[in-house]
Amino acid sequence: MLRTKQWKCPCIVLALCLLMGTCAATPAGMPDYSDKPDFSGMPGGLENKSGVAVPGEDKEVTETSSGLTIQKEPAKETLYLEALGSATAGTQKYTTVRRGDFILEATAAATVVYPKEERITYNFPYGNTYFIEAVNTEKKNKKAGDAIARIYVAIDEIQLAVLERQIQRMEERGETGAEYEEAKEQLEEMQKAIEATEIVVEKDCILVEQETFGNAYITTISSYTIVVADPKERLLEVSNENKSFHYGQKVKVSAKIDGVTQTGTGTVITASPGMVSEELTGTTALIRLDEESEYLYDGSGISVRVETVHMNDVLLMDVAASYMKNGVQLVKVKDEYGLHAVGFSFGRQNSSTYWVIDGLKEGAQILVQ
């Protein structure tokens, strides 16, 4: 037992000496910066990607009671967001603050209206005419002779035979007066009625409306009425509650025709189909398409765009380059030192562009967010 105690004492003393030597070499609680890069000569306030503070003139220097020197960051937010020459700088996209025209547009859905309409009645004086079905009912251009409805006409065969026999006897007797001409005309109309299977339009027109007759196979009609309009007398009607449209204004029009979007132009002419007035006091406006754009009337989903603001040679910036922080609109401006967070003011914006009024200069390179 005595030999064991004597063996342990020198080991304990040696361990204590080694521990005290290590503590003296490195002060307690301080990290070792011996392997960190030298940042001398870099602008004050920059930080490297490892998060180690960079020495600079804006550091506050204090000395502790133990004689250690500590540098503190000033109590303000640094504007440098990225050091120049960082690994990702080459892959970022930038836009330029530039001068140009600022345009603001309003968009409205349009419908086709027909200021001049005409009602046409087809009479069937002989037999029973049965309405079968309406055809070509879309509101598009109709050419003379186009069928718009299918019908079936049933003529009394006895009545037809009596009329034919009457005319034959008159011809045998040599009667060619007014009574003969009237009977012959009546016979021709009856024969046409027997052959009739369609109602056709008699002139070029726009088919606006046609009457329907319940069950197609049992409805007997004595006449058939349709509403047509002049193909050249069509207008576009748009809502003008926001007073975006004014008399004489040029507008852009688009419409889907056979599934493809087509574009054209037009002019605001009036607020009422019954009169032309320079004062658009109502809640709608009427637009006449320019001659080269009249085919758009045949489309569906017609849309009208009008410029409500057009300013020439103002400062512009892409909307995609801005971001919000603490309620302030900011951009990241690139210069020789890196990227700076800069606030700016704008007057108006459209879907893609700001009209810049303060805070940015022409030619500034802005990081796209």
Side-chain angles (χ1 to χ4, degrees), residues 56-359:
E57 296 179 355
D58 58 348
K59 305 292 184 178
E60 179 184 350
V61 180
T62 59
E63 188 169 315
T64 64
S65 57
S66 61
L68 296 177
T69 299
I70 300 176
Q71 292 181 332
K72 295 183 179 179
E73 291 282 358
K76 63 180 181 179
E77 181 181 358
T78 177
L79 288 180
Y80 292 88
L81 304 180
E82 182 181 351
L84 185 65
S86 68
T88 59
T91 62
Q92 293 169 330
K93 182 180 178 181
Y94 292 87
T95 184
T96 303
V97 178
R98 62 202 179 277
R99 287 199 168 273
D101 292 354
F102 179 83
I103 298 173
L104 197 60
E105 293 183 328
T107 303
T111 56
V112 181
V113 295
Y114 308 90
K116 296 180 180 180
E117 297 180 352
E118 181 182 358
R119 301 186 71 86
I120 299 176
T121 300
Y122 293 84
N123 294 310
F124 311 103
Y126 301 105
N128 295 321
T129 304
Y130 297 94
F131 181 84
I132 298 178
E133 64 176 324
V135 294
N136 294 325
T137 56
E138 295 180 358
K139 293 181 179 179
K140 291 187 177 182
N141 291 358
K142 306 299 178 186
K143 299 293 184 182
D146 283 352
I148 57 175
R150 294 191 177 96
I151 59 173
Y152 170 72
V153 180
I155 298 294
D156 187 338
E157 294 181 0
I158 296 177
Q159 182 183 3
L160 179 61
V162 169
L163 184 58
E164 289 175 340
R165 181 58 178 163
Q166 178 185 349
I167 294 174
Q168 182 181 359
R169 287 177 178 177
M170 294 176 73
E171 290 175 346
E172 291 173 353
R173 293 193 298 264
E175 297 177 6
T176 58
E179 185 179 353
Y180 170 77
E181 293 296 332
E182 183 179 346
K184 188 175 179 180
E185 183 179 349
Q186 185 179 359
L187 177 61
E188 290 176 354
E189 290 178 350
M190 291 182 70
Q191 290 172 337
K192 287 182 180 180
I194 294 175
E195 298 173 356
T197 57
E198 294 178 335
I199 299 174
V200 299
V201 293
E202 298 175 351
K203 60 181 180 180
D204 295 351
C205 63
I206 295 292
L207 177 60
V208 178
E209 180 184 356
Q210 55 182 332
E211 297 179 11
T212 57
F213 301 93
N215 190 310
Y217 292 97
I218 64 173
T219 302
T220 303
I221 58 174
S222 58
S223 65
Y224 181 69
T225 304
I226 66 169
V227 181
V228 297
D230 188 332
K232 296 182 180 179
E233 291 295 329
R234 293 175 294 180
L235 300 174
L236 297 180
E237 184 179 69
V238 297
S239 172
N240 195 34
E241 292 182 354
N242 296 328
K243 306 301 179 184
S244 300
F245 298 94
H246 309 283
Y247 181 83
Q249 204 171 34
K250 282 290 186 181
V251 299
K252 299 175 183 178
V253 179
S254 61
K256 282 190 175 180
I257 301 178
D258 297 328
V260 179
T261 300
Q262 306 285 351
T263 59
T265 56
T267 305
V268 180
I269 63 167
T270 181
S272 171
M275 57 183 288
V276 175
S277 170
E278 294 189 9
E279 298 296 328
L280 303 188
T281 57
T283 58
T284 61
L286 296 182
I287 297 166
R288 186 187 302 280
L289 287 182
D290 296 334
E291 185 175 351
E292 68 274 10
S293 303
E294 288 183 350
Y295 66 95
L296 293 176
Y297 281 120
D298 290 343
S300 60
I302 300 175
S303 177
V304 178
R305 288 182 294 126
V306 60
E307 290 184 1
T308 57
V309 175
H310 192 140
M311 295 182 295
N312 298 320
D313 194 31
V314 295
L315 210 55
L316 305 175
M317 190 196 73
D318 294 341
V319 169
S322 69
Y323 67 100
M324 291 287 293
K325 185 174 182 180
N326 298 328
V328 179
Q329 201 78 26
L330 300 172
V331 291
K332 295 180 181 178
V333 180
K334 180 182 178 182
D335 64 11
E336 58 182 321
Y337 296 111
L339 292 174
H340 305 259
V342 176
F344 70 98
S345 301
F346 63 93
R348 292 191 178 187
Q349 74 175 91
N350 56 31
S351 60
S352 62
T353 309
Y354 286 121
W355 161 37
V356 179
I357 58 176
D358 189 33

Side-chain angles (χ1 to χ4, degrees), residues 6-21:
Q6 290 176 354
W7 173 254
K8 288 183 178 179
C9 288
C11 293
I12 294 172
V13 172
L14 179 60
L16 290 174
C17 291
L18 290 173
L19 180 60
M20 293 179 64

Side-chain angles (χ1 to χ4, degrees), residues 25-39:
T26 303
M30 290 297 294
D32 183 6
Y33 293 119
S34 60
D35 60 341
K36 301 299 180 184
D38 181 14
F39 291 98

